[in-house]
Amino acid sequence: MKVMMKTQAQPEVIDLQPHPRLLSVLGDIEFAPWQCLAELIDNAFDEFLRHPNLEEPTVTVTLPGRNSDPRTAEVWVKDNGPGLSLGDLQNALRAGWTSNDRFGQLGLFGMGFNIATARLGSTAVVRTARADASHWTVVTIDLPAMQAQGHFNVPVRTEPKENPEDRGTEILIKDLKPEHHDALVRRQPAIRNVLGDVYSYLLTQRDFRLVVDRQAVKPRRPCTWSPERSVVRKGDQIPAVINIDIPLTDRLACLHCGQWQDDLGEQACVRCNSHRLDRRERRIWGWVGVQRYLHQSDFGIDFLRNGRKILLRDKSLFSWVDPDEPSGGGLREYPVEIPNGQGRLIGEIHVDHVAVNYQKNAFEYGSPDWTKVKRVLRGEGPLLPEKARQLGFATANTSPLARLITGYRRNDAGVKYLTPGDDRGPIHERAREWAELFRKGENEYETDERWYRAAYEHDNPTPRAEEPPAEGDPDEIRRQAGLDDDPAPGEGQPEPPSEPVRETEDERRARWRTDARPVSDLETPFGLPGRGAAVKVDAAWRVTGHRDQIGPAGEPPRPVYIGTVRGAAVEIFIDAEHPIFTEFAVEIRDLVVFELADFMRTRDGGTDDLGDLFARLKQRCLPDQKVTGPHLKENADRLVSRIRETMQPVIAGNSSGYWQRLSETERAATQQKFAIEGGRGDWEDVISSGDWLDYAPALCLVRVVNTRPDAFLDAQVFRTSYVSLTDETARRAGLERVTDLLSDVAALSDQPIRRSPEELQRGRLSIWLLEAELADDAA
């Protein structure tokens, strides 16, 4: 008897929807904080590109403040684009989905939003609205909650608009990861700079605006020589900037997977069978050229895709890899003749048709498209003619990079190589300083005239006038009387001594700056009504290690030296080791102002009393140095407020515990101030939150620091070391130094009583010393 086995029915489909943990895993993909922000900016800029008629398209980024806590800190990225419909919003938040084609926009892979938000924090809130909508559509993506509930369903809610015309999209990221929170807090200027670099083309050519923490991001502009400048090598006139525009044959692009089709007649993609094929123009365009200054790292070619830089200062094309020896590592062809590998060749090349990786920091280097880019820019063989001849290349390399290297490989001073110099040699450091002024937007450095004039003057130095003979010089008398016969050639004529190499003023100042600290409060205009142009102090330096050197060349050293920069601007160098400061304790700012008074009087040809001029300058230009009671109290209040702010996050960790350490009198005084100043809310809430610190007498801060020095020293609030010290006496000495200064400043803040000039002077010094004790995050 044959037994029929009943087979279990097999399901027709299986559910492959990913687990919500997928979104959390995306956060483990290696993206720097600025790259996360850039992914969100890309999406906004794509909307701007799709809607070219938007008025002043702007993306605003707000980062956590210095004193924020990762648990409560937030990142906001907001745009004034057209906003999203509910359907568009749903698609935009789906991992792997993208409305962008693979060639027309910056956001490419449909994962940018998910990676960026998951990388920075565990919760993201998206608010979006179109101009004609009456409300904001709001979605919250809470990754831990989604993972716990096991599905991707996310509720949608609405919020009314305050202004009916509001539109755009806002992304709020919170529950930040500590490591990324720290980077966002501490590297805000660096993030702003790199975004200005990456989006420089769109910011300048498309007039997009990008604002980070209330500051407009400045595009990084190339500091090139004018295209009209050139050099001649073996009859070839090589311009300082070579424009490139190489059209390639049109091809069909798959808008779904990005695959280029070899045949224009294809009806479906050869890779994914999609019918979303579009005929696309392919083109390599931009420029390569010569920078006005030499630098060890700040050179190379920027490569852009759809207006965003993918490679910044790339130097790979400056090396030649022998195709017959690919494992040889490549031959570096530029720079090779300069110490420390300094270069100045730069460029901006647009290759919108070349595929990039998902991080958007590299191209697909193995693709034929990238190979074509390399051939266009650097040719087939080596860039260096001698190396090309050795390897049997019969035809000269006439590619743009080969021409530039032929013309500008060397950096000798003069117009022959377009290198600024003086009559002794190149002035590379000065040229870099001018470039910084160019990037700051100073008008006189916009063009290359300053650099070219320095190159020209190196070739054509101004003759130095000879000193007239002294009156009564016997040799001159004999010559005028015709009694001084010229000796025969070679007779009685000693060999002229070799002239020592002279250090330029720029070189001397640069040397002093290497051992100097800025005195920032002196970097201000000094002027008086009716006295002509104010003297603008560009920089003031407190110099150590150069005793008996500060001052004009060939003159006795000075404690304070005022050097001119340009126009009415000056640079000040202070010999901090001069006996006038070390032995007599003269205040450096007083002597600087006295020297400025003398400088102005000499410049204007005035006859003012020097003491009166000094007093008026001090009164008008340095009011913060007053030691009058009210003014000193104002400075003490300001410093105490900063200290409270930096201590508050520590207090909040165990606020009730710190509160109990105060005396009964101090606690009563704190509550009384809370009541007098109209404090609101439940007092118990004020205690638990740590907000009571804002109302506590300033002298209470001394008690709090003494309670837990390990929480406030070691650069957490104050710089002084504590935990790292093993000797208890040393610990106590460091703590007492801080608390003694804090006591002086707190007394000035709490007790506005009449004080003697000596006590006021002590208070002013305590404010300065305590301010210097604040850690970087608090200062």
Side-chain angles (χ1 to χ4, degrees), residues 599-755:
F599 178 88
M600 292 175 61
R601 186 176 70 167
T602 303
R603 180 197 67 181
D604 301 338
T607 58
D608 311 58
D609 178 76
L610 199 55
D612 177 64
L613 194 57
F614 162 78
R616 286 191 287 151
L617 277 177
K618 185 91 171 179
Q619 179 79 18
R620 182 177 181 84
C621 303
L622 294 177
D624 288 342
Q625 294 187 16
K626 292 180 181 179
V627 294
T628 57
H631 189 83
L632 208 58
K633 182 184 185 314
E634 181 182 337
N635 288 341
D637 287 345
R638 186 163 51 243
L639 180 55
V640 168
S641 294
R642 289 168 56 193
I643 294 173
R644 290 184 202 268
E645 290 175 6
T646 54
M647 291 176 65
Q648 205 278 340
V650 180
I651 297 295
N654 193 340
S655 179
S656 296
Y658 283 109
W659 171 252
Q660 292 300 318
R661 297 299 181 97
L662 269 59
S663 68
E664 287 289 345
T665 303
E666 290 169 336
R667 290 201 292 266
T670 303
Q671 292 187 62
Q672 291 165 15
K673 188 175 182 182
F674 175 81
I676 292 171
E677 294 189 359
R680 297 181 179 179
D682 184 82
W683 178 244
E684 290 302 320
D685 291 339
V686 174
I687 294 177
S688 63
S689 67
D691 290 342
W692 57 265
L693 190 67
D694 292 335
Y695 304 96
L699 282 169
C700 289
L701 304 183
V702 179
R703 183 185 301 277
V704 171
V705 172
N706 275 318
T707 297
R708 283 283 311 280
D710 59 307
F712 300 101
L713 273 58
D714 292 309
Q716 296 179 86
V717 174
F718 303 102
R719 295 177 185 273
T720 297
S721 297
Y722 186 81
V723 174
S724 58
L725 300 176
T726 57
D727 182 74
E728 189 59 37
T729 302
R731 283 186 173 186
R732 179 55 52 185
L735 173 61
E736 289 178 352
R737 180 176 184 276
V738 172
T739 53
D740 285 349
L741 293 173
L742 183 56
S743 295
D744 283 348
V745 176
L748 285 171
S749 179
D750 281 342
Q751 304 163 10
I753 60 176
R754 186 181 300 275
R755 289 179 170 83

Side-chain angles (χ1 to χ4, degrees), residues 571-591:
E571 187 175 24
I572 296 176
F573 295 90
I574 304 158
D575 181 1
E577 298 169 332
H578 195 282
I580 196 68
F581 303 126
T582 60
E583 297 177 13
F584 292 92
V586 170
E587 167 55 37
I588 62 172
R589 291 161 181 81
D590 286 344
L591 193 54

Side-chain angles (χ1 to χ4, degrees), residues 55-67:
E55 183 178 352
E56 200 173 44
T58 303
V59 176
T60 302
V61 179
T62 306
L63 302 177
R66 280 190 175 273
N67 303 317

